Amino acid sequence: MFKQSLAVVISMAALAGCASTTLPNPVDYATYRNEPLVKQVEEGMTKEQVLTIGGTPSTTVQRRAHPGTCNNYVLNREGHQQAYYVTFDNNGRVNSKGFMTCEQRDTNERAM
């Protein structure tokens, strides 16, 4: 009985550690895959190209884990909203994008 209890406690602790990291949901990609930001923005594009495709972001934040900036967008589809970020390096080039906020992305990068 003690071994089972210990295994449960260890499992719960491991899951609690994972709870602080936000992972992308594959359903988000399936739902929003045809949105211009998701479909057209590619690594290496300039900030100006992204603004032409996605328009003005909700916010732009300075990245903390790595040099550069990050644009927060809100995707809308059939009444549902989804956060989406696009990060830029020091040269203003896209180096990542995904279905979370810039703040969540930065937290994930600092945790690695």
Side-chain angles (χ1 to χ4, degrees), residues 33 48 54:
R33 70 182 174 270
E48 291 75 27

Side-chain angles (χ1 to χ4, degrees), residues 1-109:
M1 182 70 175
F2 176 75
K3 288 182 183 181
Q4 289 175 338
S5 297
L6 183 60
V8 169
V9 170
I10 291 171
S11 297
M12 299 279 287
L15 288 174
C18 295
S20 65
T21 305
T22 305
L23 298 175
N25 182 346
V27 173
D28 295 335
Y29 179 77
T31 302
Y32 298 97
R33 70 182 174 270
N34 291 320
E35 294 294 318
L37 279 169
V38 178
K39 191 173 187 176
Q40 297 174 16
V41 171
E42 297 178 6
E43 194 170 311
M45 285 183 153
T46 66
K47 191 177 288 191
E48 291 75 27
Q49 289 172 308
V50 173
L51 292 174
T52 299
I53 293 168
T56 303
S58 300
T59 60
T60 299
V61 296
Q62 198 67 35
R63 295 172 68 190
R64 290 179 282 162
H66 298 285
T69 59
C70 183
N71 287 355
N72 276 309
Y73 289 92
V74 178
L75 303 177
N76 293 291
R77 184 167 176 91
E78 298 174 3
H80 298 282
Q81 294 185 334
Q82 173 60 49
Y84 194 78
Y85 76 89
V86 179
T87 61
F88 302 93
D89 63 18
N90 273 347
N91 299 316
R93 300 279 181 169
V94 173
N95 61 3
S96 70
K97 61 181 186 166
F99 293 99
M100 61 181 72
T101 66
C102 293
E103 294 78 9
Q104 290 168 323
R105 173 66 182 182
D106 195 62
T107 298
N108 289 351
E109 287 180 330

